[in-house]
Amino acid sequence: MKEQLIKLEQEVLQELEKASRKELNELRVKVFGKNGLITNLSKGMRDVPSENRKEIGQLINQTRSLLEEAFAKKEQEIENAELEKSLESEKIDITEPSKDIKIGALHPTSDIIDKLTDICVDMGFSVVEGPEIETDYYNFEAMNIPKNHPSRDMQDTFFITDEILLRSQTSAVQAREMEVRKPPFKIVCPGKTYRNDSDATHSPVFHQLEGLVVDENISMADLKAMLSTLMKRLYGEDTYIRFRPSFFPFTEPSIEVDLSCPTCHGKGCNICKGTGMLELLGAGVVNPKVLEMSGIDSKKYRGFAFGFGLDRAGMLLNGISNIRSLFKNDIRFLQQMKGEKK
Ligand code: FA5
């Protein structure tokens, strides 16, 4: 029996050595199956004289364990080889350029932010940023809009707590900057703003560009000259602007600025609803109270400020009729933009 076991072990190990996956499975049945070699040897234990039974039993078990281990090892080897082969054949070159690259363009809002800030930097403005999650103080109170003042109704605001809100206007950066800067200074601040608004020209998230100039002898004429130059550079030399009286608690006097329609050049079209003009921004001479609240001597210094709706400005530049198109993230829309191709 002993010799029989050694012979079996050697034969099986030899066959195992060169077995494929299919042969391995067949061999497994041949050795361990219902009528397999080892199984039959175990069955044959009945005929072994009782005094040798223990020793033979142990030998069979040893052979079984040794062969089981050899099978497991071979199976692992086959699996590794198969994996290696499939990794080799399915190799992906992630550096290979795609055959189907869809080229978009700079988003109209990013494009208008870049264009406007570039023009403002040329005019000597510094570009600043402010927090989108703002305090009631900077968004309203420091802008001469006390708590419960009716002018708060003009900006349907998302409050987080009584004192914290999503800024409803980039004007909130005015007081922040006035507190830390010494006049004279000129700053612009582009960024996101939030209001509970939603229709074809109003979105709950939109973008504004705030401008603030503080210096001696500032007047409405400076504001008009600056905005005229800005608009001509952005929309073309034949563009002109119109001032209309308005009200903002933080500017006195306050105006709204209309732009001759960049699509029809003032003749009247469906974009400007036949009027030839489009409302684009609010502006005015900074209210002396606002300067004083931020520690600036209003007897010596004056200022002007303006606040653009950037999404509207970008829509006009690109002939977009619905503000929602700006936030749909549709590459077909972006591909039509006149902005810089990326
Ligand atoms: C203001 O927000 C003032 N802070 C502007 C200002 C700054 C006045 C400095 C004086 C001095 P108004 O609420 O009108 O003003 O908003 C300014 C522009 O933001 C609007 O002309 C419009 O273009 C844009 N705007 C306002 N609400 C939305 C909205 N929900 N979606 C898209 N654009 C909007």
Side-chain angles (χ1 to χ4, degrees):
M1 182 64 116
K2 215 170 176 177
E3 291 79 53
Q4 220 180 328
L5 275 168
I6 294 172
K7 198 164 165 251
L8 179 127
E9 192 181 297
Q10 280 170 352
E11 278 173 10
V12 173
L13 288 177
Q14 259 174 24
E15 273 190 65
L16 200 58
E17 179 86 33
K18 49 184 178 5
S20 65
R21 178 176 279 283
K22 187 168 168 259
E23 287 161 350
L24 174 86
N25 290 336
E26 285 165 3
L27 193 58
R28 184 178 276 125
V29 175
K30 188 173 152 193
V31 179
F32 303 108
K34 232 175 181 181
N35 285 312
L37 300 169
I38 286 276
T39 323
N40 285 341
L41 281 176
S42 301
K43 282 180 195 161
M45 285 288 289
R46 280 184 237 118
D47 309 324
V48 175
S50 57
E51 63 272 22
N52 295 339
R53 218 173 261 165
K54 190 173 170 210
E55 189 197 358
I56 299 295
Q58 275 174 349
L59 279 173
I60 293 176
N61 283 342
Q62 270 171 16
T63 309
R64 178 193 292 279
S65 309
L66 189 139
L67 290 178
E68 276 172 353
E69 249 174 60
F71 269 80
K73 195 168 157 230
K74 182 70 187 176
E75 186 158 29
Q76 191 60 54
E77 275 171 25
I78 292 174
E79 260 170 33
N80 289 347
E82 283 173 352
L83 184 68
E84 197 92 337
K85 206 171 148 201
S86 72
L87 283 177
E88 194 56 40
S89 64
E90 291 165 19
K91 209 167 172 179
I92 299 168
D93 179 2
I94 53 165
T95 62
E96 194 177 301
S98 160
K99 291 189 185 78
D100 185 25
I101 301 176
K102 290 203 168 54
I103 297 175
L106 207 56
H107 189 278
T109 306
S110 306
D111 184 43
I112 198 89
I113 290 176
D114 286 357
K115 287 194 168 116
L116 268 171
T117 48
D118 278 357
I119 299 170
C120 291
V121 167
D122 279 357
M123 291 178 170
F125 283 80
S126 307
V127 181
V128 300
E129 285 188 334
E132 289 171 29
I133 299 174
E134 192 44 286
T135 59
D136 185 273
Y137 176 77
Y138 285 112
N139 197 78
F140 289 127
E141 288 173 59
M143 289 289 96
N144 195 29
I145 312 176
K147 285 201 163 43
N148 304 319
H149 194 277
S151 69
R152 286 193 177 207
D153 291 351
M154 296 197 294
Q155 302 183 5
D156 197 348
T157 308
F158 294 111
F159 278 89
I160 297 167
T161 66
D162 284 351
E163 295 302 327
I164 310 282
L165 46 83
L166 294 179
R167 72 175 172 197
S168 60
Q169 51 180 355
T170 43
S171 297
V173 293
Q174 284 195 27
R176 285 187 175 276
E177 292 299 316
M178 283 193 266
E179 281 175 4
V180 295
R181 284 177 191 265
K182 279 201 167 38
F185 62 83
K186 295 158 96 171
I187 52 125
V188 281
C189 169
K192 282 198 183 69
T193 38
Y194 303 83
R195 289 183 201 174
N196 187 14
D197 282 344
S198 187
D199 62 31
T201 52
H202 293 83
S203 160
V205 185
F206 59 105
H207 299 76
Q208 286 190 336
L209 178 112
E210 192 76 11
L212 173 67
V213 174
V214 179
D215 203 343
E216 291 177 40
N217 301 320
I218 288 289
S219 76
M220 207 59 149
D222 298 306
L223 173 62
K224 188 166 187 185
M226 190 257 149
L227 285 177
S228 265
T229 312
L230 187 67
M231 296 302 178
K232 281 185 197 302
R233 281 197 55 187
L234 190 61
Y235 293 106
E237 272 305 312
D238 58 349
T239 307
Y240 53 93
I241 54 174
R242 179 173 72 188
F243 281 12
R244 270 184 297 110
S246 185
F247 170 75
F248 298 102
F250 35 95
T251 45
E252 181 61 45
S254 302
I255 52 164
E256 264 172 301
V257 183
D258 297 337
L259 176 78
S260 59
C261 176
T263 308
C264 64
H265 306 282
K267 291 188 192 76
C269 67
N270 60 342
I271 302 268
C272 59
K273 300 196 181 87
T275 61
M277 300 298 287
L278 288 153
E279 182 210 312
L280 198 57
L281 68 141
V285 173
V286 179
N287 190 323
K289 263 174 124 177
V290 172
L291 294 174
E292 290 292 338
M293 268 192 278
S294 300
I296 292 177
D297 180 359
S298 67
K299 300 246 173 359
K300 186 166 181 206
Y301 295 106
R302 287 156 63 92
F304 69 73
F306 53 91
F308 266 90
L310 288 178
D311 310 276
R312 180 100 41 102
M315 286 163 74
L316 293 179
L317 199 62
N318 294 288
I320 301 162
S321 55
N322 194 320
I323 197 166
R324 292 184 190 104
S325 310
L326 295 175
F327 301 103
K328 279 191 183 155
N329 209 18
D330 185 337
I331 196 153
R332 291 168 304 175
F333 165 76
L334 290 176
Q335 278 167 331
Q336 297 168 40
M337 292 303 110
K338 295 176 199 156
E340 302 296 316
K341 295 281 179 245
K342 277 277 152 177

